[in-house]
Amino acid sequence: MTSIGGAEMVDWNLAVATATRLVRPGPEVTRDEARAVVAELRRHAKASEEHVRAFTRMIPEGHEPEDTPVLVVDRAGWIKANVAGFRELLKPLLEKMQERRSGSPGGAVLGAVGGKVTGVELGMLLSFLASRVLGQYETFAPASRDLPAGENGGGRLLLVAPNIVHVERELDVAPHDFRLWVSLHEETHRTQFTAVPWLRDHLQGEIQSFLAATDMDPMTVLERLREAAQALTGARPEGEDEEGGRSLVELVQTPEQREVLGRLTAVMSLLEGHADYVMDGVGPQVVPSVAEIREKFQQRRARGASRLDQALRKLLGLDAKLRQYRDGERFVRAVVDEVGMAGFNRVWTSPNTLPTKAEIAKPADWVARVHRKAD
């Protein structure tokens, strides 16, 4: 546990236990059905490697990139994996807050409340997310006995079986096609990081720069977590505007952080948009009902769910995540249409060839900067 002046900032074990206890049960399947789903997802993950490599041409023929494991998990497994990732990634921020706690006005409050309350609140947020994620490439995944990861700090690919089954039933689409379609998206992320050796370190450096510039006291963190927990339970403070509230991402307090966040937004838009473009672009010869799946999936994204779900989307920054899929896919499509796949792949040359946030919105500006100047 991370200790701050003798009191744990976050009780990580309690966060896992709380999220696992509160997460909604998955769809009803028999034991044999569950085994069949897991086996099929593993086959799709393997098949997706060749499909993605052939379509993106990111990995030269005859070259084998660093491999990373594929894990088919349930909702509890996703929770454990993400808590481990959060704990690793947030170490610098928590250490910084530890140094500040003794002289901070919020230090006494934090000491009284303790890490257990924070762990419960974090667990509540994870229980909400755990039923919504279909798959994930964990870039900064620490290896453990139960959750292996790639060598030298490499990541792992997670496919959340109950969520995939739930959505394919909700959309009433062909299960075989939908499972392969999801696998193509996540495999694209794995290809991005295994084929571009500098990408992981670059992204980690940007995130650590953002965290290092954080200027907030422990009380602010508790307030943000409490806002999220109140939205989750419906216990919104009296008089608060339901359309109000802040995203947890909106902790930016310095010009330096705004600059870093702009670069991070551009990179994440590129990565997510590229994965969406590839999962559709592999084509009907591989996923025959891809057009139907995409149409129904987009309708589901746009429709959202309850008002509670919409409030949490805003609070957790998930609305921004959806914009990244949309804007990033438009950028990739526009660039490929103009300069082809090989021309688009110049984006992976170095951090200097990544698009800026402004270029994501104006792909022609990226083409002009990277292609015409180089030519």
Side-chain angles (χ1 to χ4, degrees):
M1 297 302 166
T2 299
S3 176
I4 302 183
E8 294 169 355
M9 178 62 189
V10 180
D11 187 332
W12 298 104
N13 290 337
L14 185 57
V16 171
T18 301
T20 303
R21 185 176 68 254
L22 295 179
V23 70
R24 293 184 297 181
E28 291 186 8
V29 294
T30 67
R31 188 181 297 271
D32 287 343
E33 287 173 332
R35 288 173 177 164
V37 170
V38 170
E40 184 173 20
L41 286 173
R42 286 177 176 156
R43 290 195 302 270
H44 285 331
K46 183 63 178 176
S48 294
E49 292 182 26
E50 293 305 318
H51 294 316
V52 171
R53 292 182 188 186
F55 184 80
T56 65
R57 288 175 269 166
M58 291 179 65
I59 300 174
E61 188 175 350
H63 174 72
E64 285 297 323
E66 178 187 358
D67 197 14
T68 54
V70 176
L71 306 179
V72 181
V73 298
D74 58 11
R75 291 170 178 176
W78 180 88
I79 289 167
K80 291 176 184 177
N82 275 266
V83 167
F86 290 156
R87 187 175 179 179
E88 183 73 16
L89 198 59
L90 292 176
K91 271 183 182 179
L93 175 62
L94 294 179
E95 289 172 357
K96 180 177 180 178
M97 294 175 67
Q98 178 179 1
E99 295 173 358
R100 296 187 54 178
R101 186 192 171 217
S102 58
S104 169
V109 175
L110 182 60
V113 174
K116 294 194 179 299
V117 171
T118 312
V120 168
E121 293 175 338
L122 178 59
M124 293 172 69
L125 299 181
L126 288 170
S127 71
F128 170 81
L129 294 171
S131 62
R132 286 159 170 77
V133 177
L134 300 181
Q136 175 184 1
Y137 183 76
E138 276 202 295
T139 314
F140 311 107
S144 66
R145 183 180 61 184
D146 299 330
L147 294 165
E151 297 180 0
N152 303 318
R156 56 181 168 235
L157 190 153
L158 306 178
L159 294 171
V160 190
N163 296 349
I164 293 172
V165 171
H166 171 78
V167 174
E168 72 190 25
R169 290 179 178 179
E170 180 184 329
L171 298 181
D172 190 25
V173 293
H176 173 86
D177 287 4
F178 185 74
R179 295 167 192 175
L180 178 54
W181 189 68
V182 172
S183 298
L184 289 167
H185 182 102
E186 303 310 329
E187 177 58 37
T188 302
H189 286 317
R190 185 164 71 150
T191 298
Q192 289 164 349
F193 284 93
T194 55
V196 185
W198 54 265
L199 184 58
R200 179 186 182 276
D201 289 342
H202 172 73
L203 191 59
Q204 184 176 36
E206 292 283 53
I207 293 172
Q208 294 306 332
S209 295
F210 179 86
L211 295 177
T214 298
D215 183 21
M216 61 181 174
D217 56 49
M219 188 60 184
T220 303
V221 176
L222 286 179
E223 287 175 352
R224 298 297 192 273
L225 285 172
R226 191 154 295 111
E227 286 177 16
Q230 287 168 345
L232 186 61
T233 60
R236 184 181 299 277
E238 183 177 355
E240 183 175 328
D241 181 4
E242 291 189 7
E243 296 300 320
R246 292 163 291 186
S247 164
L248 288 175
V249 179
E250 293 173 350
L251 297 173
V252 179
Q253 296 183 350
T254 67
E256 179 183 353
Q257 280 188 301
R258 293 188 185 95
E259 290 180 10
V260 175
L261 189 59
R263 295 195 299 269
L264 279 171
T265 298
V267 173
M268 297 311 298
S269 295
L270 170 68
L271 299 180
E272 296 295 356
H274 183 236
D276 261 15
Y277 178 80
V278 172
M279 72 193 295
D280 290 347
V282 165
Q285 67 274 19
V286 174
V287 185
S289 59
V290 62
E292 177 191 0
I293 291 174
R294 169 56 70 186
E295 181 180 1
K296 289 184 175 181
F297 197 77
Q298 291 291 67
Q299 290 173 354
R300 182 179 184 271
R301 274 181 180 174
R303 187 169 60 245
S306 64
R307 296 179 70 188
L308 172 60
D309 187 79
Q310 292 170 0
L312 277 165
R313 277 187 176 188
K314 182 173 183 179
L315 186 63
L316 297 173
L318 298 183
D319 283 342
K321 180 77 168 179
L322 295 179
R323 287 195 297 273
Q324 288 174 2
Y325 286 108
R326 181 194 64 208
D327 297 344
E329 196 275 342
R330 288 175 181 170
F331 170 84
V332 176
R333 184 174 300 279
V335 172
V336 172
D337 286 348
E338 184 167 349
V339 296
M341 185 62 73
F344 166 78
N345 281 341
R346 285 196 189 181
V347 77
W348 313 115
T349 304
S350 75
N352 292 330
T353 56
L354 291 172
T356 64
K357 189 176 179 180
E359 288 170 342
I360 288 289
K362 295 183 178 180
D365 290 353
W366 180 86
V367 172
R369 177 172 68 87
V370 173
H371 277 266
R372 293 171 190 164
K373 286 185 178 179
D375 294 342

